[in-house]
Amino acid sequence: MTATDAPAVPTSTIYGDSTTDPLLMYGPIVADRLPGGTEPRPYEHITVVPAGTTIGAEVSGLRLGADLNDATLAELRRALLEWKVLFFRDQHISRADHRAFAALWGELEQHPFFKYTQPGQTDVDVTTLAKGMASAGVENSWHNDVTWSATPSFGAVLRAVELPASGGDTLWTDTAAAYDTLPAAFRERIDGLVAEHDWMQAFGTSMPSEAVEILRPHLPAVQHPLVRVIPETGRRVLFACQVFTTRVLGVPQEESDEILSVIYRHVQRPEFQVRLRWRPDTVAMWDNRTCQHYAASDYFPQKRVMDRISIVGDVPVGIGD
């Protein structure tokens, strides 16, 4: 039985006293993998094996690069929408292949901060995340990428370059499943709200002050819907993360803190997660709009080197926009 086939679970068997804690849940927490009314279809040009219940699938039957035919690329696009994150094993590819594959999905993003926070960058569109004795991994907090921008990343393609002997897994959590399984009253409460996102509380604290002064006028705080709608599917997802979201607008600070706390706790449930144990020549691609990720920092002082390419996104759309 798949998530889409699962029978509805009576609310009374899931929720405790939601007047004191809207997340007081127990028993089955089962979300649909696909948007309502969508029937699962087979893949004809790629092989897709689920790695999680609603999020994460391993894809085989292709080599990543620029020479994918239209039919294969169309199925990859569908797989990404359906599974949110895709894993590709045994991809012995070059940086040029990595870039060419990412470019099939859209314009490549140029990140303005890593030249300050992650020295040694050689390309504007490929971020090398080199962690080890000199630079410990600090990405172990659940987040979407680049929500501090008016057009947050559509997605990212991450390639393993050098791995520690153990540790360094990456986890993703499904923010569509998280939204769907919130109590109805809480969903109604947040559906039309807007939140502020800012890079200052993250990158701004680890950059030279003169760099912050130069960049700040060009990169002010931005506002995004707290519940984002994915145009291709109509799926609603939670769009707030601990790293970049500063507050919910239009409500008192205490209420903002409460709302964000509930969202952060909920998206961290293991029921919504998939975990990737990296191997040499592994590549992961994810839809940054529909999931958050977390890089486990349990390998210090071993070395872990990853190349990441991000794809430019668009302006997030909220309910009723």
Side-chain angles (χ1 to χ4, degrees):
M1 178 176 290
T2 66
T4 51
D5 299 324
V9 180
T11 301
S12 60
T13 69
I14 295 180
Y15 298 105
D17 184 0
S18 61
T19 61
T20 58
D21 183 352
L23 298 188
L24 189 59
M25 296 184 185
Y26 53 90
I29 302 175
V30 182
D32 287 337
R33 179 174 64 83
L34 300 174
T38 303
E39 292 294 328
R41 292 183 288 150
Y43 297 93
E44 299 178 0
H45 302 278
I46 56 177
T47 299
V48 178
V49 177
T53 303
T54 66
I55 181 172
E58 190 165 309
V59 178
S60 59
L62 75 168
R63 180 185 182 278
L64 302 184
D67 57 348
L68 297 177
N69 60 49
D70 290 345
T72 299
L73 186 58
E75 287 202 338
L76 279 178
R77 291 185 185 280
R78 176 161 66 90
L80 188 66
L81 286 172
E82 292 181 352
W83 290 102
K84 294 92 174 176
V85 55
L86 305 177
F87 307 138
F88 306 89
R89 300 288 193 183
D90 304 318
Q91 296 290 326
H92 186 62
I93 61 174
S94 66
R95 177 174 281 207
D97 293 324
H98 184 182
R99 181 185 284 111
F101 174 71
L104 294 173
W105 300 80
E107 180 185 354
L108 303 187
E109 204 160 50
Q110 298 185 20
H111 202 291
F113 306 127
F114 281 121
K115 63 181 178 180
Y116 301 107
T117 62
Q118 185 73 56
Q121 303 300 316
T122 58
D123 292 297
V124 295
D125 55 359
V126 182
T127 300
T128 298
L129 300 167
K131 306 297 180 178
M133 181 68 78
S135 178
V138 295
E139 295 79 18
N140 52 334
S141 182
W142 288 104
H143 63 286
N144 308 82
D145 288 329
V146 195
T147 69
W148 43 262
S149 169
T151 54
S153 304
F154 160 75
V157 184
L158 186 65
R159 179 172 66 98
V161 177
E162 183 175 347
L163 296 171
S166 61
D169 296 351
T170 304
L171 298 86
W172 287 264
T173 188
D174 183 342
T175 53
Y179 174 82
D180 288 348
T181 54
L182 279 169
F186 191 84
R187 292 200 306 268
E188 293 170 4
R189 181 181 173 191
I190 66 173
D191 275 350
L193 296 178
V194 172
E196 180 182 84
H197 297 245
D198 198 347
W199 57 275
M200 285 291 290
Q201 66 180 20
F203 292 108
T205 63
S206 57
M207 291 168 51
S209 58
E210 57 269 23
V212 173
E213 291 175 5
I214 292 171
L215 290 171
R216 186 56 172 172
H218 305 286
L219 296 169
V222 297
Q223 299 176 9
H224 297 309
L226 197 57
V227 179
R228 182 175 184 174
V229 179
I230 306 304
E232 300 97 315
T233 62
R235 198 76 187 266
R236 296 180 181 185
V237 303
L238 296 171
F239 201 64
C241 67
Q242 291 172 301
V243 177
F244 301 122
T245 306
T246 57
R247 61 194 175 103
V248 178
L249 303 179
V251 300
Q253 186 65 50
E254 183 177 357
E255 184 177 357
S256 170
D257 293 344
E258 177 214 347
I259 290 171
L260 293 177
S261 175
V262 169
I263 290 174
Y264 298 156
R265 287 170 53 211
H266 193 53
V267 300
Q268 293 174 22
R269 289 187 185 279
E271 286 86 351
F272 310 141
Q273 296 177 22
V274 67
R275 183 176 190 130
L276 174 63
R277 295 190 181 279
W278 292 94
R279 299 198 307 252
D281 298 328
T282 296
V283 175
M285 179 178 188
W286 65 93
D287 184 338
N288 186 60
R289 306 169 302 172
T290 60
C291 60
Q292 294 184 19
H293 58 285
Y294 179 110
S297 189
D298 55 355
Y299 53 89
F300 183 86
Q302 298 181 80
K303 194 170 184 180
R304 180 182 187 267
V305 182
M306 315 293 280
D307 274 354
R308 190 190 75 187
I309 301 178
S310 298
I311 298 114
V312 173
D314 53 15
V315 177
V317 174
I319 297 170
D321 290 350

